[in-house]
Amino acid sequence: MEREFSAGGVVLRKMRGRWLLAVIEPHMTRPKKPGKKSTKTSHTVPSATALPKGAIDPGEKPDQTALREVQEETGVQADLITKLADIKYVYVRNWGDQARVFKIVSFYLLLYRSGKLGNISPEMRVEVQRAFWIPLDEAPKALSYKGEREVAEMALQYLTAHPELEAHSANARR
Ligand code: ATP
């Protein structure tokens, strides 16, 4: 089976006493089913709530990918804290070759440093409908994919074990 490797970030920020998580709604379009009568060339499927992530470029380390993708997809700069986990899933490409793909995504815990969420380039708008903060404790419910819900749970556990992260967050530029 074909394999893909991506990396992404669980970006946290403490505001008004509450930890927030940066999430995105990716644009989810797929080609029209053959034989269906429609004037549209594609239709939109219900959107997902997901963590920012993307393909690891040649020569890039996964943690660098996570920071780059977070910047590109959400508009914020973040600092690397630790690796959380690799998540794995299989999906079927709904374009081109319809291949089954085994995908591994490495997720990193990142702390917000600067920038405005949603401040992304016009090219990125094609991929990301919106980026927004949600309370971290709601993430295990709000995120669409099981693997991502699990990494959000791990982030919560890491925060409990490392209360010193609060000081780091307080020093972030507003
Ligand atoms: P990337 O963001 O890594 O460049 P992509 O946008 O090309 O990737 P994915 O986000 O992996 O592709 O999405 C491909 C398919 O897998 C979609 O149908 C999506 O709904 C599904 N998918 C995405 N993330 C997960 C996940 N964590 N668990 C299960 N299915 C997922």
Side-chain angles (χ1 to χ4, degrees), residues 4-7 26 28 48 50-56 69 73 87-92 94-95 103 105 107 127 145-148:
E4 282 178 0
F5 300 94
S6 281
M28 314 259 282
L51 297 172
K53 66 165 174 57
I56 300 171
E69 288 287 340
E73 294 196 335
I87 69 163
K88 293 159 193 168
Y89 53 95
V90 174
Y91 75 94
V92 177
N94 62 6
W95 68 97
K103 183 145 181 174
V105 187
F107 276 105
E127 287 181 39
Y145 304 114
K146 180 164 165 275
E148 296 195 355

Side-chain angles (χ1 to χ4, degrees), residues 1-39:
M1 205 188 305
E2 198 172 322
R3 284 169 176 252
E4 282 178 0
F5 300 94
S6 281
V10 175
V11 185
L12 302 182
R13 175 181 200 183
K14 191 143 193 181
M15 278 185 90
R16 296 186 206 95
R18 206 163 183 198
W19 282 104
L20 304 180
L21 168 70
V23 295
I24 62 166
E25 274 177 15
H27 268 295
M28 314 259 282
T29 53
R30 60 185 182 196
K32 177 184 84 153
K33 284 207 187 96
K36 276 216 160 177
K37 283 196 184 127
S38 166
T39 50

